[in-house]
Amino acid sequence: MNFQVLTTYRTNFINSIIATLVWGSMSFISIFLLTARTNTVYGWTREELLLLTAIYNIIIGTFHMVFSRNFERFSRIIHFGELDSLLMKPIDPQFSVSFWLFNYTGVFRVLAGIIFTIIILHSHIINPFNLVLFLILIPVSIALMYSIWHLISTLVIKFTNLSNIIDLLYEINGFTRYPQEMFRQLNAFAFSFLIPIIIVVTIPTKFLISKATSTDFFLLLSMCVVFLICARMFWKFALRYYTSASG
Amino acid sequence: MRYWKIFLLNFQIVIIERAISFVWFLIALIPPFVLYLYWRGALASHGGNIAGWTLSTISTYYFMLVIASSCFMAHIEENVAREDIQQGGLTKFLVKPFSYYILKLFLETPWRILQGFYGVVVLLLFAFFFKNLFVIASDVKILALSIVIIILAFILSFTFKMIVGLSAFWLTDVGGFFQLVEAIILLCAGLLMPLSLLPDTIAKISYVLPFAYMIYFPIISLQGTQNVGQLMNIILVQLVWIAIMAYLYSLLWKKGVRKFTGIGQ
Amino acid sequence: MSSIIQVNNLFKTYKIYKKDPGFMGSLKALVKRRYEELHAVKDISFSIDPGELVGFIGPNGAGKTTTLKCLSGLLYPSSGKVSVLGFTPFERKSAFLKQISLVMGQKNQLWWDLPAIDTFLLNKEIYEIPPMQYKKTLDDLVNLLDVEEVINNQVRKLSLGQRMKCELIAALLHSPKILFLDEPTIGLDVVMQKKLRDFIKEYNYKYGSTIILTSHYMEDVRQLCRRVLVIDHGTLLFDGKLQDLIKEYTQYKLITVVFEKDIERKDISKFGEIKEFELPRAVLSVKREESNAITSRLLADFPIADLNIEEIGIEDIVRDIFIKKRR
């Protein structure tokens, strides 16, 4: 049913494909250009940074496939006052808000990411244990990204006029393309504030290049669990506030 | 006089929407900030100098970029394409005896001014806390010419974005087209990095396109790296591009309205 | 008196893209699109004199709005000649635009986040209205429409009726010679519809401006227009005095009755023509003048659960006209 919706609006389908191709390519091109005159940055070589971008595309691509359309829709639902009819349905509202739409075009980014990963790593030998940990961490990262988006989007229930919060979230995703070491320069407060988002891509990637420690693994895992719980609790709190406020 | 009054009336809208405007500013702030962090590391592992750019000049560049992308670059194309052309809001403009271009200009300018205000506040904070990282021109002549360049850059980017918005007369897939334009501007206007740091071929192409004159040249003019002669040259090229854009705009407007009123909304 | 609007042999044809239903249709549409031609307006001619209050009526999609857009310059005709105030509308000359005004029921020109008064000030500048004239016109209109208290509130906070009133003011500040109104009472409640109609009638009387309105509500036209143009499927079916139209085509009213107990068909056949008879429901067509009397008789003589009196709808009138024209 969803594919039909996608192609009925022929325009949206082509828009999505162009957007996916453009930004997928740009993510690689920009890292390529940025590393044109330097050898290593923050302890990462050019090859490693490109690998980071490839993993970024896999994670972001999957995230866009499953979730981002839904967040945009959520913003619209709030803006047009349709939250009530959503709450009336016999489905858990968080579920229906998060999984309603599926964006097939994101698959191109994921594929591009996988292809580039294979190209960059094909001559390397990867410890199978690390590979398994990497594969486990991918869904963990996506879940963490989801909960961060969910936490911030829930604010729209109260601040209904902030229609561009989703655009802000897209930009914040951009942080994840860079190695976490880069953000250590910020003062401790800002850095700790940003930790959840900046580890989302860096840590899984580190497992592929054998730079990761067990601390990294547990940090990502625990962040994911904590944020999933916080997101759910904040969501329930916001809904309670909403249903008691609108008389 | 009536133009001034219409402008002031438009300004009121922006004051009401200042929260959204601030979020847009935050959005404009993030990419240059992240790239600035990147270059700090790149410079550190390259002896503090890459092709003539040092920590202070690069910091200043990305800092000015925040202001440039939020203040000099117009963002009117979504409004023109979606609300006016696709959703038919254009009809209320067609029935009025007033230039569409100017009404849109008065709609857009207050937003840029407010963003410029946020930018200047952040600039003052930055200049205060990081005095040695912020270097701009001190020569009055150069500063004055830079201001002219900035104003022309805005007019150029506004006219260009209006043309991009008019594409909705012919394209149903405006979203995809906008993304393409945004990606080209990212590269060729110096939003990713200073044009002199790009590979030769891409840099050469960028100098020929109009985008560099919307962002890159205004920034390096303010940084004081150009002499008066070079600044006059930049102004000349900007004027030529503005003339070309203006001609293109009026051509596309006439054709587009003809099509719009043939189809009706 | 020479006419202020002159339309000769107006034609307007659109291309409509067609898609087959279902999944296969969606795939096909991605690759190739079929289109059909829609003849929105077919050979319409008429002329209107200054100061007239004219109504275009017809069912939805009849071509009324298309004709209106051709008159106001928003559409250019496929063929034919249109002259308004001596201008060709679709050239949209400044001098032409300053003398007309268009209000479309669904689309608004008021700034959403600001008070209505700010949009008024904007129009003052756009139409170059002298300050004294602006003040006088504004005061007159605000009084006529009784919106003194709301013009300083944000438009988004106004009710639909108040918004409509402010839209009208914004449209009339420059004292246009011709006012085009497209479905002005759509979506409004009965009370507001009446208020709006009264205002339009009074405005036409007081200022002598030509007013053209389109509507699919018979009541709009009945209350306001001495002259009507009936348009259906793009053709002009009737152009003349409303009185004549009423006399000819709306002599009857429809009474719909729901009976509590079954009755015989012949029991009610003496009251009028039976249009539908499926118990417990029946629909009678009765003479207009007799409808009240017949209703009382029905209520007195029969066990009735529900009773409804309706005008013969526009669709029925138009169908009647169409059938008559065919003969």
Side-chain angles (χ1 to χ4, degrees), chain C residues 71-133:
Chain C
L71 290 175
S72 55
L74 286 175
L75 280 182
Y76 68 82
S78 304
S79 71
K81 193 167 179 309
V82 180
S83 168
V84 178
L85 291 160
F87 292 95
T88 313
F90 68 81
E91 284 173 8
R92 281 192 310 281
K93 298 222 170 82
S94 190
F96 167 69
L97 294 175
K98 281 190 177 162
Q99 302 183 67
I100 65 156
S101 196
L102 171 68
V103 179
M104 303 188 86
Q106 307 292 38
K107 299 205 183 110
N108 38 1
Q109 61 159 306
L110 295 172
W111 268 327
W112 198 241
D113 294 301
L114 294 177
I117 189 80
D118 285 322
T119 310
F120 300 160
L121 286 167
L122 177 72
N123 279 358
K124 168 177 175 290
E125 300 304 328
I126 288 184
Y127 287 97
E128 294 182 283
I129 309 172
M132 295 292 281
Q133 185 189 326

Side-chain angles (χ1 to χ4, degrees), chain C residues 120-289:
Chain C
F120 300 160
L121 286 167
L122 177 72
N123 279 358
K124 168 177 175 290
E125 300 304 328
I126 288 184
Y127 287 97
E128 294 182 283
I129 309 172
M132 295 292 281
Q133 185 189 326
Y134 167 77
K135 186 159 185 353
K136 184 175 184 312
T137 315
L138 182 62
D139 288 340
D140 281 348
L141 291 170
V142 166
N143 277 326
L144 261 177
L145 285 166
D146 193 23
V147 282
E148 178 122 23
E149 269 130 43
V150 298
I151 56 175
N152 285 306
N153 299 345
Q154 269 189 331
V155 169
R156 62 159 71 227
K157 301 217 170 93
L158 301 179
S159 68
L160 185 60
Q162 291 168 327
R163 225 182 296 148
M164 199 55 208
K165 287 181 179 176
C166 291
E167 286 280 342
L168 277 174
I169 297 182
L172 293 172
L173 279 169
H174 60 284
S175 310
K177 289 214 178 73
I178 304 182
L179 174 63
F180 297 106
L181 294 168
D182 189 41
E183 306 274 2
T185 59
I186 204 168
L188 298 175
D189 62 74
V190 176
V191 175
M192 197 49 75
Q193 283 183 344
K194 181 169 187 331
K195 285 207 181 127
L196 226 62
R197 287 183 202 128
D198 290 342
F199 168 75
I200 294 173
K201 214 190 316 199
E202 198 170 340
Y203 188 84
N204 169 250
Y205 178 71
K206 229 178 142 185
Y207 294 92
S209 42
T210 313
I211 300 185
I212 316 237
L213 67 97
T214 68
S215 185
H216 63 277
Y217 294 131
M218 196 59 200
E219 200 55 28
D220 277 349
V221 169
R222 188 196 303 281
Q223 292 292 329
L224 291 173
C225 311
R226 268 186 301 276
R227 178 177 164 200
V228 288
L229 278 73
V230 179
I231 301 178
D232 186 28
H233 283 88
T235 35
L236 186 59
L237 295 181
F238 178 90
D239 176 1
K241 290 220 193 64
L242 178 61
Q243 293 288 68
D244 299 340
L245 184 69
I246 289 182
K247 239 189 289 174
E248 265 187 76
Y249 299 110
T250 62
Q251 303 165 289
Y252 296 92
K253 279 199 175 188
L254 291 174
I255 302 184
T256 308
V257 196
V258 178
F259 295 99
E260 271 175 2
K261 280 195 271 218
D262 283 0
I263 57 132
E264 299 285 322
R265 201 186 163 106
K266 59 177 171 49
D267 290 338
I268 53 168
S269 55
K270 60 178 183 261
F271 292 113
E273 187 190 332
I274 299 181
K275 291 273 181 180
E276 280 174 48
F277 192 85
E278 244 189 87
L279 289 174
R281 189 172 169 274
V283 179
L284 277 170
S285 171
V286 304
K287 286 221 178 76
R288 169 172 289 275
E289 316 82 68

Side-chain angles (χ1 to χ4, degrees), chain B residues 190-217:
Chain B
L191 282 168
L192 181 65
M193 52 206 214
L195 296 184
S196 60
L197 286 176
L198 285 173
D200 245 11
T201 5
I202 304 184
K204 284 213 180 76
I205 298 176
S206 306
Y207 289 132
V208 168
L209 293 173
F211 310 111
Y213 294 89
M214 299 175 195
I215 303 268
Y216 180 66
F217 285 114

